[in-house]
Amino acid sequence: MTERFDQGPWAQAGVQTVQPGVHRVPLPLPNDGLHAVNVYLLEDPGDDGGIVMIDGGWAIPEARKALEQAMAAIGHDLGDISHILVTHVHRDHYTQAVELRRLLGSRVYLGAGERPGLEMLGRLRSDRPEGSLATLRRAGAAELADLVRAMDHGGYDPSVWELPDRWLGTGTLRLGGRELRVVPTPGHTKGHVVYLDERRGLLFAGDHVLPHITPSIGFELAEPGGRPLADYLDSLRLMTRYADTRLLPAHGPVSDSTHVRVAELLTHHDDRLAKSLTALDDGTLDAHAVARRLGWTRRQLPFAELSAFNQMLAVNETAAHLDVLVLRGRATVAHADGVDRYTRVR
């Protein structure tokens, strides 16, 4: 789950040149959990002279100003941004991309798996995470769902939730002199994608592989469905089928090996699965009850000490782990009165 962590120098304003023509720019966020989101500026190695941007940031004035300063620092202005490739539809990645398109005429690309959530948001005209709230109710946490639903989620602004110019599936993008492989990586969201530059050994990983924290699983605007943790674990293993790359994440510093971090994340989820299974020794429980028996964040905080929003993430992730235990034959699930209850297989 997302947690507050030592931001370190990676979140400080400025430009880090990862390699010639590839620049990491942290843009500020208006919250306490994560202070910044990395966007990446890719200069065209061909003759076009344009900029391809990976992820857009949150549509706030501070982020726009930081981006303008970063562009100037590498000898460009905002008008040079030709394409914005977004990893997923969460606000801190998508909304400024739409705003920049309106301002500059840039083209915005997004994974096709995000289409149901974005279209549902347009129908509901609310940016409440309805999918995650439905999962809370299925997990036996109806009161928490009502509490989170009543929270201020920033206010729905249709101008920053428009559809992209192009929906992306698996394939290769050729933009000027640069070639990027689009790899769908469902888990954090259904339509999350990463962008792999195989020639230069770089993975623009969005929130799929993060160096310091584990991304929340299945935090959806759309209807819940599927098995988000099973999808996420498969998506992690998929990364090891490609040659190892430098990891360029959306939150945290650039690191040398995607494969090393993927192995750490798989180990973490093995540990959480084991602890979730042990919690079922207490009997037949819903996901809310199991979540209250586990420690949270790297500090192993009690569930009761988490904010309501982070309690939602914790319960949703617990439900995802329990569903994987069912898929693996380690637990069974029974649905009654709108709630799933799990029992350990002996």
Side-chain angles (χ1 to χ4, degrees), residues 216-283:
S216 59
I217 302 301
F219 181 43
E220 295 287 351
L221 299 171
E223 295 289 345
R227 295 290 184 264
L229 180 60
D231 291 343
Y232 180 66
L233 297 177
D234 287 344
S235 297
L236 283 177
R237 296 186 191 100
L238 177 61
M239 296 296 94
T240 66
R241 298 178 192 170
Y242 299 99
D244 199 8
T245 59
R246 296 185 75 186
L247 173 62
L248 281 62
H251 306 284
V254 172
S255 56
D256 289 335
S257 173
T258 297
H259 287 183
V260 167
R261 182 55 180 158
V262 163
E264 293 171 350
L265 288 167
L266 289 169
T267 298
H268 164 79
H269 284 290
D270 284 343
D271 178 68
R272 298 302 287 181
L273 286 164
K275 289 177 178 175
S276 298
L277 186 62
T278 297
L280 293 180
D281 287 341
D282 291 342

Side-chain angles (χ1 to χ4, degrees), residues 11 15 28 72 96 121 128 134 199 212 229 231 235 263 282 307:
V15 177
Q96 184 166 243
L121 187 149
R128 289 188 301 269
R199 182 183 305 173
H212 288 158
L229 180 60
D231 291 343
S235 297
D282 291 342
S307 67

